[in-house]
Amino acid sequence: MKIASAPLLGFGAAVVVAAEFIVVGLVPAMTAELAIGPADAGWLVTSFALASALFGPMLVAATVQFPPARVLAAALAPFAASLLLFPFPTLAMAMGLRVLQGAALPLFMSLAGPQLAAARGTGPGVALLYVGVTIGGTFAPPLGTFAAGRLGWEAPMAAIGALAIIGAGETRCSARHQRGQRMCPDCSM
């Protein structure tokens, strides 16, 4: 059984990859606003990557017994938590979120890939996943830089958070509708 629509999974992939790469465009604004050096801000990229490599596989293994729709939605939660950077715009908060997000990225991708392959076939499913990856990785740094220059570095991070909330809600809603449940009257399904 499919757990989420293919476009939603592609959207989720774009969100998690955008979160991964957006920091590259935010470094100038972060160094200025937080009074830190570029090397300190660079650790935001490194911490994400290390958490992804070290903790991601453990999360995948620890969640195999849970329903995939719930795990997909939960994997987007650390990205949604980027909204916390508005009231708490600190390097420590950003670093903590980056570690959680890095660990969650492989969890999301490990479920989205097989779901897309099952829904669309292996080649088209993986291609759709990589459309999301490409969109997130291509547009996040320049759009993040643009937004940070006008609204502060927290705004693009909060935008990622808002998109993650939308993706998580729609993923859960889509799964409920596929099971014939009508538990989310406000969703777009």
Side-chain angles (χ1 to χ4, degrees):
M1 170 175 38
K2 296 184 289 184
I3 60 167
S5 72
L8 287 176
L9 294 172
F11 174 78
V15 170
V16 299
V17 171
E20 178 180 8
F21 288 105
I22 198 165
V23 171
V24 172
L26 303 182
V27 168
M30 293 179 88
T31 57
E33 289 184 39
L34 297 174
I36 59 174
D40 292 329
W43 275 103
L44 293 167
V45 175
T46 303
S47 65
F48 188 105
L50 287 174
S52 188
L54 298 174
F55 304 128
M58 289 186 262
L59 271 179
V60 171
T63 59
V64 294
Q65 73 275 12
F66 297 109
R70 288 186 181 152
V71 175
L72 277 168
L76 291 172
F79 300 94
S82 291
L83 288 167
L84 291 171
L85 289 168
F86 264 140
F88 306 107
T90 66
L91 180 61
M93 176 62 79
M95 190 70 72
L97 288 173
R98 297 293 290 170
V99 169
L100 294 173
Q101 292 166 351
L105 182 136
L107 181 60
F108 184 88
M109 294 299 204
S110 72
L111 288 169
Q115 291 299 319
L116 284 166
R120 299 282 174 104
T122 302
V126 171
L128 183 57
L129 182 69
Y130 275 93
V131 166
V133 167
T134 302
I135 288 170
T138 302
F139 293 112
L143 291 176
T145 302
F146 178 80
R150 281 140 190 85
L151 305 169
W153 66 269
E154 304 92 337
M157 296 294 281
I160 295 291
L163 293 172
I165 288 171
I166 292 167
E170 289 292 325
T171 297
R172 291 293 311 260
C173 189
S174 175
R176 287 180 178 138
H177 282 279
Q178 288 179 11
R179 291 190 306 265
Q181 297 173 345
R182 286 277 190 207
M183 296 178 66
C184 43
D186 296 329
C187 74
S188 62
M189 304 299 227

